C-alpha cells in the first residue's frame, strides 16, 4: 500500500493579488528539474478583464523557480494568448525537456462562451524560460492535457493526451511522431483521430467516469509511470476527483502492465475542499528524486500543492496487487460458526461477534438471529483462536427493555456486541432496536468473574445515544485517557468520539457528536464508515479496524485507523486501501451479500485475530500481521 504524504508547506504556490494576471488563482503546476533547480509552470487565473466583448477571468501560463520544489520565487507570465486559436486563455501546462528544448503543451481556448469545438491543444517551445522560440496549434479537435515522453522510443517521439475531453467519454490516448514537425501537422492529426479507439488506453471503469492525463510520463526501472486524473461519476451529482497511476511498458507504451485499483489521493484538506471549484485534486506534474516521487496537483482549482510517496511502494502496488490485503489472512476457508436449526434463537444467522481473550481462551459473544428476525446473543469459545471447543445451547443475552423488544415486524433485538474489559468489569455496547425507532446504542456490564464463570448476570441496559438519531457501532476504550472514559461510535455516516467521567450513565448522559472520521469520496469507503474493533494500544497509537461501505455496490470492506495515544480526536493514519473485502463464498452470499463485519479482535502472539460476520449469516476468522500493519500506518 502506498501512502501519499501531503507537504506541510501546502499550498506551495498561490495567486498573488498584486499580480492581476494571477489574482484569482495559481494552480495545476508542472515542474521540470535541471541542475539549477525546479522550474514550475502553472495555470494563472486573472482577475476579471474585458476580452472579446465579455468580462471574464483569463488563464495564462505562469513561471516560478525554486531550489527545493516547495518554495518558489521569480514569478512571471510566460505564455499569454497571442493567436486566434488561444485568444480566450492558455491553461494547464505540461512540460517536457527533450534534447535542448522544453516543450510546453497547454489547453488553448478559442471561443467564448466556452464550447468543445473551441478547446484544443497548443505547444510552446523554449530553451531558457526567457524567450518562447515558437508556438503552434496542435490538435484540430476537442482535446486537453497533452504531454511528451522525455525520450524517444524506438526512434520516435511519443506523446499522450486526452481526446474528447469535453465530449465524453474522454479518452487517454497515445500518439507517435517520426519528427518534430509532425507534432503540429493537423492533417496527420485528422488521420489519427479517425482511428482514435486504436490509440486509446482502457482506463475507465464505469461509463459515467472521466479520465484525463495528469503529469507527463516519467521513466522508472519498471516502466513508464503516468499519474492521471480519475473522476468517478463525472456525469452525475456524486462526482468525485481522485489521483491514480498506471504503468506502461518501456518499449511499448500502449501496453498497460500495472495500475492502481483505488485513488492515491482524494480531496481531504481545506485547500482541496474549498476554492474556485471545490472538492478537486488534479495531478499536473511530477519529478523523481532518488526513490521519492514528488507529485504536484491543483487544489480546488485555486492553489498549487505537492505530495510525495515511495516509488518502489507504488510500483509494487501496481505490479503485484495491494500489499495491504496480503497482511490479512483467512485462517479457514469456511465459517467457524454457522446457524443451528435445532436452536430456534440461532436458526437463521450467527454473525458479528464481540471478543475477549483471557488465559489462553478466546471468548466469543455473537449475534444470533431467529426465524422471526429477533437478535439475541450466544456464546462460544476457542483456545487456538480458530477451532470452536465450547458453544452454549442457550442465549446468554436477550432483549429485556421496551427499546429492544419487538414492537413491529422486521429486525429487532440486541445486535452487534462489542466487549471491553476495564479492571474487574466487562462492558458491552450493542445496538438496540425495537422496530419502531431508529437504532440506538445501549450499554450493559457484568463482573469479569461472573463472565468467565458463565454466570450471565448482566446489569440493566441503558440507552446512551440520543433518540431520533441513527447511532450504532459503539466501543469503549480499554483504559481512561486524561481521566476520562472514551467511547467511539458511528453517528449517521461518521465515526465520533465521546468522553465520560464514569460509565454508570445514571443521569441520562448521551453520546456526543465529535466527528473524527468521515467517508472518503471516490474511495472504497465513500458511502459510510463505522468502527468495528475495540482500540488496541500500540507504541504508535490506538489501532482499530473499521468498515467502509462503497457507493458502487454496497460492499463492506475493512480498513485500519491509528489514533493518537493521548488525543483520540487526532487521526494519525488510515489505510488508503482495504485490508479485507468479501472474497469467499460465505462472505459474498447470504442474508446481506458482500459483507465482512467484525465486532472484535484480539492479539495472539504477533498476530491480530479478527472475528467477523460473513454476509450477515455466519462467522469467519482472519489474522492480520500487526507489525506489518503498523508499518503501513506510519
Amino acid at each position: 500500500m502506498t501512502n501519499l504524504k501531503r507537504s506541510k508547506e501546502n499550498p506551495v504556490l498561490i495567486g498573488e493579488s498584486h499580480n492581476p494576471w494571477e489574482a484569482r488563482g495559481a494552480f495545476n503546476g508542472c515542474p521540470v528539474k535541471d541542475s539549477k533547480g525546479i522550474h514550475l509552470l502553472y495555470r494563472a487565473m486573472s482577475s476579471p478583464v474585458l476580452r472579446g466583448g465579455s468580462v471574464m477571468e483569463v488563464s495564462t501560463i505562469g513561471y516560478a523557480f525554486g531550489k527545493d520544489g516547495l518554495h518558489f520565487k521569480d514569478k512571471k507570465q510566460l505564455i499569454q494568448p497571442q493567436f486566434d486559436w488561444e485568444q480566450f486563455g492558455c491553461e494547464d501546462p505540461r512540460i517536457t525537456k527533450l534534447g535542448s528544448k522544453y516543450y510546453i503543451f497547454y489547453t488553448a481556448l478559442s471561443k467564448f462562451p466556452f464550447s468543445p469545438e473551441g478547446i484544443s491543444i497548443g505547444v510552446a517551445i523554449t530553451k531558457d524560460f526567457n524567450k518562447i522560440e515558437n508556438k503552434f496549434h496542435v490538435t484540430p479537435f476537442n482535446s486537453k492535457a497533452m504531454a511528451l515522453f522525455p525520450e524517444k522510443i524506438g526512434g520516435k517521439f511519443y506523446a499522450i493526451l486526452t481526446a474528447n475531453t469535453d465530449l465524453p467519454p474522454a479518452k487517454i490516448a497515445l500518439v507517435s511522431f517520426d519528427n518534430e514537425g509532425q507534432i503540429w501537422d493537423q492533417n496527420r492529426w485528422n488521420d489519427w483521430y479517425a482511428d482514435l479507439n486504436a490509440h486509446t488506453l482502457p482506463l475507465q471503469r464505469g461509463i459515467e467516469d472521466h479520465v484525463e492525463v495528469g503529469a507527463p510520463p516519467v521513466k522508472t526501472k519498471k516502466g513508464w509511470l503516468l499519474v492521471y486524473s480519475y473522476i468517478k461519476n463525472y456525469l452525475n451529482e456524486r462526482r468525485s476527483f481522485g489521483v491514480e497511476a498506471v504503468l506502461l511498458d518501456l518499449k511499448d507504451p500502449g501496453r498497460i502492465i500495472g495500475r492502481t485499483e483505488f485513488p492515491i489521493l482524494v480531496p481531504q484538506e481545506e485547500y482541496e475542499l474549498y476554492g474556485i471549484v471545490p472538492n478537486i485534486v488534479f495531478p499536473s506534474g511530477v519529478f523523481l528524486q532518488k526513490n521519492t516521487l514528488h507529485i504536484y496537483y491543483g487544489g480546488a482549482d485555486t492553489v498549487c500543492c505537492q505530495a510525495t510517496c515511495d516509488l518502489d511502494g507504488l510500483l509494487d502496488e501496481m505490479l503485484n496487487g495491494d500489499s495491504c490485503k496480503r497482511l490479512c489472512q483467512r485462517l479457514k476457508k469456511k465459517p467457524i460458526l454457522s446457524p443451528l436449526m435445532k436452536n430456534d434463537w440461532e436458526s437463521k444467522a450467527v454473525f458479528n461477534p464481540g471478543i475477549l481473550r483471557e488465559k489462553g481462551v478466546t471468548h466469543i459473544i455473537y449475534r444470533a438471529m431467529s426465524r422471526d428476525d429477533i437478535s439475541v446473543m450466544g456464546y462460544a469459545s476457542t483456545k487456538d483462536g480458530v477451532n470452536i471447543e465450547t458453544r452454549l445451547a442457550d442465549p446468554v443475552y436477550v432483549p429485556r427493555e421496551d427499546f429492544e423488544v419487538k414492537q413491529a415486524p422486521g429486525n429487532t433485538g440486541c445486535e452487534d456486541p462489542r466487549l471491553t474489559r476495564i479492571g474487574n468489569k466487562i462492558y458491552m455496547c450493542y445496538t438496540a432496536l425495537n422496530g419502531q425507532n431508529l437504532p440506538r446504542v445501549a450499554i450493559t456490564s457484568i463482573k469479569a468473574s461472573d463472565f468467565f464463570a458463565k454466570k450471565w448476570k448482566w446489569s440493566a441496559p441503558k440507552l446512551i445515544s440520543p433518540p431520533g438519531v441513527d447511532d450504532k457501532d459503539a466501543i469503549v476504550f480499554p483504559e481512561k485517557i486524561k481521566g476520562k472514559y472514551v467511547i467511539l461510535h458511528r453517528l449517521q455516516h461518521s465515526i465520533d468520539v465521546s468522553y465520560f467521567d464514569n460509565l454508570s450513565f445514571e443521569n441520562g448522559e448521551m453520546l456526543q457528536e465529535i466527528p473524527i472520521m468521515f467517508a472518503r469520496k471516490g474511495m472504497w469507503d465513500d458511502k459510510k464508515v463505522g468502527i468495528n474493533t475495540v482500540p488496541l494500544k500500540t507504541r504508535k497509537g490506538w489501532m482499530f479496524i473499521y468498515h467502509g461501505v462503497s457507493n458502487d455496490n454496497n460492499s463492506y470492506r475493512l480498513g485500519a485507523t491509528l489514533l493518537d495515544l493521548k488525543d483520540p480526536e487526532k487521526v494519525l493514519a488510515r489505510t488508503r486501501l482495504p485490508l479485507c473485502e468479501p472474497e469467499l463464498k460465505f462472505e459474498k452470499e447470504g442474508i446481506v451479500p458482500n459483507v465482512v463485519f467484525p465486532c472484535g479482535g484480539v492479539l495472539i502472539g504477533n498476530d491480530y485475530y479478527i472475528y467477523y460476520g460473513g454476509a450477515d449469516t455466519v462467522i469467519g476468522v482472519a489474522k492480520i500481521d500487526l507489525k506489518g500493519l503498523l508499518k503501513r500506518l506510519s
Side-chain angles (χ1 to χ4, degrees), residues 261-527:
E261 183 182 358
F262 295 102
I264 56 177
L265 191 75
V266 295
Q268 179 179 315
E269 299 298 328
E270 184 175 352
Y271 51 80
E272 301 160 354
L273 298 173
Y274 306 103
I276 295 172
V277 185
N279 299 307
I280 288 182
V281 289
F282 188 85
S284 48
V286 301
F287 73 83
L288 268 176
Q289 191 169 32
K290 295 183 179 179
N291 194 51
T292 300
L293 183 69
H294 298 252
I295 299 176
Y296 288 76
Y297 64 96
D301 274 10
T302 305
V303 296
C304 185
C305 310
Q306 192 216 66
T308 59
C309 71
D310 174 71
L311 177 63
D312 286 343
L314 180 59
L315 296 178
D316 178 66
E317 179 183 325
M318 290 193 288
L319 292 170
N320 301 315
D322 177 16
S323 63
C324 203
K325 284 183 186 175
R326 298 199 293 269
L327 294 173
C328 186
Q329 174 187 350
R330 269 77 166 181
L331 295 173
K332 269 195 171 184
K333 295 287 179 77
K334 294 183 179 181
I336 62 169
L337 281 171
S338 298
L340 290 178
M341 296 301 296
K342 65 179 182 180
N343 297 331
D344 179 67
W345 60 274
E346 59 176 349
S347 58
K348 185 173 182 178
V350 295
F351 55 117
N352 299 2
I355 305 296
L356 283 176
R357 188 167 175 86
E358 181 86 7
K359 295 180 179 179
V361 177
T362 298
H363 302 269
I364 304 171
I365 301 292
Y366 60 88
R367 175 181 171 186
M369 186 180 287
S370 63
R371 288 290 168 184
D372 55 357
D373 299 322
I374 295 175
S375 286
V376 299
M377 297 177 196
Y379 172 91
S381 67
T382 169
K383 290 182 179 178
D384 64 5
V386 178
N387 298 294
I388 301 299
E389 296 169 346
T390 302
R391 183 173 182 177
L392 299 186
D394 296 312
V396 301
Y397 195 90
V398 297
R400 293 177 283 171
E401 304 293 336
D402 287 344
F403 55 72
E404 58 195 10
V405 172
K406 186 179 285 287
Q407 307 290 332
N411 289 352
T412 60
C414 308
E415 304 179 350
D416 305 348
R418 273 85 165 182
L419 304 170
T420 303
R421 180 175 182 176
I422 302 177
N424 64 356
K425 190 174 284 190
I426 293 169
Y427 295 91
M428 182 170 72
C429 292
Y430 64 92
T431 301
L433 194 62
N434 65 9
Q436 287 187 335
N437 304 310
L438 289 172
R440 295 179 69 183
V441 175
I443 190 170
T444 183
S445 63
I446 188 172
K447 289 182 180 179
S449 57
D450 286 338
F451 181 93
F452 297 123
K454 300 180 179 60
K455 298 177 182 179
W456 307 114
K457 299 178 181 180
W458 300 95
S459 66
K462 294 181 179 179
L463 289 176
I464 61 172
S465 63
V469 178
D470 185 343
D471 202 342
K472 50 173 41 176
D473 299 340
I475 287 177
V476 180
F477 273 70
E479 64 180 60
K480 291 182 179 181
I481 300 177
K482 294 182 179 179
K484 298 282 189 178
Y485 291 96
V486 183
I487 295 180
L488 293 178
H489 58 113
R490 193 206 87 198
L491 181 61
Q492 304 293 353
H493 293 166
S494 65
I495 293 176
D496 289 50
V497 65
S498 291
Y499 304 94
F500 300 94
D501 292 326
N502 60 67
L503 296 177
S504 64
F505 296 98
E506 294 177 351
N507 299 315
E509 298 95 334
M510 292 287 164
L511 294 171
Q512 303 158 300
E513 184 179 358
I514 306 175
I516 62 171
M517 267 180 62
F518 295 92
R520 298 177 291 189
K521 288 187 69 174
M523 298 293 282
W524 57 273
D525 52 3
D526 61 356
K527 184 175 183 179

Side-chain angles (χ1 to χ4, degrees), residues 121-143:
I121 294 169
V123 64
I125 301 171
T126 184
K127 291 183 178 180
D128 55 11
F129 299 106
N130 291 316
K131 178 184 178 183
I132 298 298
E133 306 285 339
N134 283 299
K135 256 189 182 186
F136 299 96
H137 188 202
V138 178
T139 54
F141 49 83
N142 177 243
S143 51

